């Protein structure tokens, strides 16, 4: 029965498996940002904490977007498990570097699924993923800008306080 249903999909079975892996990745990003929000809260970076709470929500929305796409198109989406979340950071710059590295990893993953869809003539998933390609550009830019703020500011309490304040507009 399952195979019969799957056999008539306009999205490729291979794409569904890849998208399920992407669901996990988005959820891991959501958990990572929540841990970063916690670290920022503890260290007194109030605006950065708010920024990461918001990012965590965004990642959950990304996950749901893919989740629903799979289910609405006859596939089966799997609720992901996050294995291990890092809560230790050496500095606020470390936090944003880790965040940027994570976003680049997600972009590469989206691109590789996109490429696979092209190979398999899975137009529906390719079009669906276009939103994610653009979204990743924005997310990388946001993290690069935030990283710059903290790389360029001094290390004194006053400097860090002002840099954190600038994150209020993100
Ligand atoms: Fe995402
Ligand atoms: Fe992201």
């Amino acid at each position: 029965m399952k195979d019969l249903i799957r056999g008539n999909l306009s999205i490729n079975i291979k794409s569904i498996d890849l998208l399920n892996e992407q669901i996990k990745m988005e959820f891991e990003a959501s958990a990572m940002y929540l841990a970063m929000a916690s670290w920022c809260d503890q260290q007194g970076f109030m605006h950065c904490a708010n920024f990461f709470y918001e990012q965590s929500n965004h990642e959950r929305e990304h996950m749901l977007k893919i989740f629903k796409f799979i289910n609405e198109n006859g596939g089966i989406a799997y609720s992901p498990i996050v294995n291990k979340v890092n809560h230790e950071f050496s500095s606020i710059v470390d936090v944003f570097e880790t965040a940027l590295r994570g976003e680049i990893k997600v972009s590469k993953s989206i691109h590789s699924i996109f490429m696979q869809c092209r190979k398999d003539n899975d137009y529906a998933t390719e079009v669906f993923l276009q939103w994610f390609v653009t979204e990743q550009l924005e997310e990388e830019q946001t993290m690069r800008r935030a990283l710059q703020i903290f790389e360029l500011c001094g290390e004194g309490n006053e400097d860090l306080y002002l840099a954190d304040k600038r994150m209020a507009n993100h």
Side-chain angles (χ1 to χ4, degrees):
M1 182 70 176
K2 199 171 99 181
D3 285 343
L4 187 69
I5 295 169
R6 279 190 155 205
N8 290 321
L9 296 180
S10 38
I11 56 177
N12 197 293
I13 292 170
K14 225 189 283 171
S15 305
I16 294 171
D17 293 339
L18 291 173
L19 289 175
N20 263 310
E21 281 169 34
Q22 192 60 38
I23 283 176
K24 193 172 187 306
M25 210 171 184
E26 300 292 341
F27 205 52
E28 278 168 352
S30 179
M32 176 182 79
Y33 286 143
L34 207 53
M36 287 173 173
S38 185
W39 188 91
C40 290
D41 251 340
Q42 285 163 43
Q43 303 290 322
F45 293 106
M46 194 179 80
H47 296 289
C48 287
N50 287 339
F51 169 79
F52 282 117
Y53 280 122
E54 217 175 273
Q55 290 303 313
S56 178
N57 280 341
H58 284 171
E59 301 303 346
R60 190 168 189 280
E61 281 166 19
H62 295 168
M63 180 206 63
L64 282 176
K65 212 175 166 87
I66 304 171
F67 205 90
K68 286 177 182 163
F69 176 78
I70 294 175
N71 281 339
E72 281 165 5
N73 291 291
I76 300 167
Y78 294 104
S79 184
I81 298 167
V82 174
N83 300 322
K84 199 169 165 256
V85 185
N86 175 40
H87 284 81
E88 272 155 47
F89 303 97
S90 58
S91 64
I92 189 74
V93 169
D94 181 30
V95 169
F96 281 105
E97 268 174 0
T98 308
L100 177 59
R101 227 178 291 130
E103 288 300 340
I104 292 170
K105 205 171 136 194
V106 169
S107 298
K108 283 188 176 155
S109 173
I110 298 279
H111 294 169
S112 84
I113 305 173
F114 198 97
M115 212 166 68
Q116 191 59 47
C117 291
R118 279 223 164 147
K119 274 191 202 154
D120 298 334
N121 298 330
D122 183 349
Y123 311 118
T125 307
E126 184 179 318
V127 169
F128 169 74
L129 283 175
Q130 274 173 9
W131 183 88
F132 283 87
V133 172
T134 312
E135 176 72 6
Q136 277 314 116
L137 281 181
E138 276 176 32
E139 299 243 297
E140 281 185 36
Q141 273 168 23
T142 304
M143 289 306 167
R144 277 197 192 94
R145 271 202 304 268
L147 182 57
Q148 257 176 353
I149 289 174
F150 286 95
E151 271 177 344
L152 295 175
C153 82
E155 294 195 345
N157 283 345
E158 183 86 0
D159 299 317
L160 290 170
Y161 173 79
L162 289 173
D164 180 55
K165 234 177 158 185
R166 286 187 62 189
M167 290 301 292
N169 306 320
H170 276 274

